[in-house]
Amino acid sequence: MPADEPKFLELVNENRNKILRVCRVYAWNSADQDDLYQEILSQIWRGLPGLKENQFASTWLYRVAINTAISFVRKQASRSGRFVHFEPADLTRAIEARQATEASADDRITSLYTAIYKLDPLEKALVTLFLEDLTYEQIAEATGINASHVGVMLHRAKKKLSVLMKEVPGE
């Protein structure tokens, strides 16, 4: 067993739900979410030797997860030659299919994830980290932008989400 394996397993187990939420925000279907999850785990494994201070492990993990997710979306977009775009009818069908298989899924949460999916990559990152109850300073550290700018950008993203939530079919 490599020396970092216990540290890796502990970090992943403690943060599994956070990683899965990042995957859900950046990848719409379950196959892409699974691929992204594996890619994030791979990047965490590769970067783990560079993590020197365990007190910053959670912020570091977010940075790795979000940067990997953004790269994943860019790769997906370049493969298709364009950004992924869903028509409202496609989103409705996807949501209904997901609700049929996940009967306990809350409509508001599904609507929120649908709206978050429509944000640009940095807005997705900011909202995801905000929903994880990180402070502006922690979000700034994870994204590499100024803490006061985090507040401004989050405010704009929240306004955009509000508009997008009203557009979601079935609301």
Side-chain angles (χ1 to χ4, degrees):
M1 178 187 297
D4 284 344
E5 189 170 343
K7 184 177 177 180
F8 171 79
L9 293 173
E10 178 182 350
L11 186 63
V12 169
N13 287 333
E14 287 175 0
N15 294 283
R16 183 176 193 279
N17 289 332
K18 293 174 186 177
I19 298 168
L20 290 172
R21 280 190 288 272
V22 168
C23 293
R24 185 169 181 188
V25 167
Y26 283 88
W28 182 250
N29 66 54
S30 60
D32 284 347
Q33 289 171 8
D34 292 344
D35 290 347
L36 178 55
Y37 184 77
Q38 291 301 317
E39 183 62 27
I40 290 171
L41 293 184
S42 173
Q43 293 302 322
I44 291 170
W45 177 257
R46 286 186 206 148
L48 196 58
L51 178 63
K52 302 296 182 213
E53 299 181 45
N54 282 339
Q55 69 206 44
F56 301 116
S58 182
T59 304
W60 173 84
L61 183 127
Y62 272 122
R63 182 179 297 153
V64 171
I66 287 173
N67 288 337
T68 303
I70 290 170
S71 294
F72 180 85
V73 169
R74 285 183 184 145
K75 282 184 214 169
Q76 295 290 87
S78 69
R79 283 187 194 135
S80 67
R82 58 179 171 72
F83 282 95
V84 177
H85 176 72
F86 287 100
E87 293 299 323
D90 295 334
L91 286 173
T92 301
R93 282 193 294 277
I95 290 168
E96 288 171 353
R98 190 172 273 186
Q99 287 175 341
T101 59
E102 299 174 14
S104 65
D106 180 16
D107 290 342
R108 298 284 297 161
I109 292 174
T110 301
S111 297
L112 177 62
Y113 276 108
T114 300
I116 291 171
Y117 186 79
K118 294 179 180 180
L119 298 175
D120 72 46
L122 181 56
E123 290 170 333
K124 285 180 189 178
L126 293 172
V127 169
T128 302
L129 296 172
F130 178 77
L131 291 174
E132 292 293 332
D133 291 328
L134 269 69
T135 65
Y136 285 7
E137 289 77 19
Q138 291 170 317
I139 294 172
E141 188 177 319
T143 59
I145 61 176
N146 179 310
S148 61
H149 197 61
V150 166
V152 171
M153 292 184 73
L154 261 175
H155 179 73
R156 290 178 186 156
K158 287 177 192 176
K159 281 179 147 180
K160 198 171 180 181
L161 273 177
S162 177
V163 170
L164 290 169
M165 291 283 293
K166 291 175 185 166
E167 293 175 0
V168 173
E171 282 295 301

